Amino acid sequence: MSHPELMRQWRRPAEAELPLPWAVCSSPIPSPLPVLETISKATSSLQALPRSCSAVPRTCLGRMKLLAVLLAASLLSTTAHGAQAPQQDKPPQTCLFQPLSSEDSKFCRGDLEVVYPELGDVGCTYIPQCHQYRRQISRAWGAPRVRYPRAEQDKKYLLVLVDPDAPSRANPRNRFWRHWLLSDIPGADLRSGDIKGQVLTAYGRPSPPPRSGYHRYQLLLYQQPAQEAIALSPREQGSRGAWPMESFVERFQLGSPVASTQFLTKHYED
């Protein structure tokens, strides 16, 4: 047979006759590689075909390598751009309890403790906004625990809670706003912090009006004279605002408070 005839009988197979990469093996090609596996590992794993695979033409093997490279590159790109890193837990919000100014802190003397839930002793501090503490103290929490470690067990005391900044510190025309008034408190109760006494004015939560700035909430503890029956006048009972506290103290000869403290807060939406 002449050389031209041999050339006519041999021809390069058409592209359609070349075996497809996924049709070469009698067993399926392994599932896509893990996303973080490198491209070099992807190509080497495809070269190590099972024994049941037929001989693969070099052109087909090249295409398989190319598909492996493209697949690995696509998966790596998806991870880099589309996958989101797992969200880490947010660190807890830190609450800063700001002490009062030197001028306001002068009111705090005698180790009188005023304890609210979650906050602890708020004496001589600003109520922080975090965790909605200003809303809690104005809308949710009841009367605080009041403790005075120096109280004499056989004595009785009177406790006052007033706002001298009603309706605002710049214009305190309703000073003093009476929030709480207890008489006949046993000294033993004050030492433990679980106070009981004669309720002359039920506890009213500190509730500064909107846009009125910070209000001072002042607690004053008086030692009650023996055998002294303390009561509000009918006029005083009719209103909490514009209470003449100095006249009340003078009328019952209470003298100077044995201890006092205050905290500052403002409207929870300000």
Side-chain angles (χ1 to χ4, degrees):
M1 183 179 295
S2 65
H3 182 69
E5 291 178 349
L6 289 173
M7 290 296 294
R8 283 193 300 270
Q9 290 183 6
W10 181 91
R11 62 183 177 87
R12 187 170 180 268
E15 294 294 330
E17 296 175 353
L18 291 175
L20 297 173
W22 51 83
V24 173
C25 297
S26 58
S27 62
I29 293 177
S31 59
L33 301 172
V35 171
L36 297 180
E37 190 172 1
T38 61
I39 294 176
S40 60
K41 288 184 178 181
T43 55
S44 61
S45 63
L46 281 174
Q47 287 176 345
L49 296 172
R51 293 181 180 275
S52 58
C53 290
S54 60
V56 182
R58 289 183 178 273
T59 304
C60 182
L61 185 58
R63 290 186 178 184
M64 294 173 65
K65 288 183 179 181
L66 179 59
L67 282 174
V69 171
L70 292 176
L71 176 61
S74 175
L75 292 175
L76 289 173
S77 175
T78 302
T79 301
H81 298 288
Q84 295 181 353
Q87 294 182 354
Q88 297 180 352
D89 293 337
K90 294 182 179 179
Q93 186 178 8
T94 303
C95 275
L96 299 178
F97 289 78
Q98 181 181 352
L100 302 185
S101 66
S102 58
E103 186 64 28
D104 283 336
S105 62
K106 292 178 182 179
F107 189 85
C108 307
R109 58 184 184 274
D111 299 329
L112 184 62
E113 299 175 8
V114 184
V115 180
Y116 280 98
E118 301 182 29
L119 288 172
D121 183 12
V122 298
C124 241
T125 62
Y126 290 88
I127 303 300
Q129 174 69 355
C130 56
H131 303 308
Q132 297 189 345
Y133 285 146
R134 291 179 189 160
R135 181 184 179 91
Q136 295 280 68
I137 203 171
S138 296
R139 293 288 183 267
W141 294 333
R145 297 179 69 246
V146 179
R147 182 172 176 267
Y148 181 54
R150 301 182 186 181
E152 300 179 41
Q153 295 194 20
D154 59 342
K155 301 291 184 180
K156 290 188 177 180
Y157 295 83
L158 179 137
L159 179 68
V160 179
L161 171 59
V162 291
D163 174 7
D165 303 323
S168 70
R169 193 164 184 171
N171 181 26
R173 64 180 181 272
N174 289 328
R175 175 185 294 177
F176 290 88
W177 192 278
R178 194 174 64 253
H179 281 266
W180 198 18
L181 182 60
L182 286 177
S183 66
D184 300 299
I185 304 171
D189 289 359
L190 280 169
R191 293 174 71 93
S192 68
D194 185 17
I195 61 174
K196 301 178 183 66
Q198 181 68 32
V199 179
L200 303 180
T201 300
Y203 176 76
R205 297 185 181 100
S207 303
R211 297 175 296 279
S212 63
Y214 280 101
H215 286 233
R216 294 170 291 174
Y217 290 89
Q218 299 178 336
L219 290 100
L220 302 98
L221 184 68
Y222 297 89
Q223 185 172 307
Q224 190 171 317
Q227 309 301 322
E228 185 72 40
I230 297 179
L232 293 170
S233 68
R235 183 176 180 179
E236 289 173 322
Q237 292 176 8
S239 174
R240 293 184 180 228
W243 180 48
M245 185 177 67
E246 294 91 342
S247 298
F248 175 86
V249 170
E250 184 179 350
R251 186 165 76 243
F252 293 103
Q253 301 178 354
L254 296 174
S256 299
V258 296
S260 60
T261 190
Q262 66 179 347
F263 59 88
L264 272 68
T265 189
K266 60 181 178 179
H267 193 270
Y268 56 87
E269 291 183 345
D270 288 352

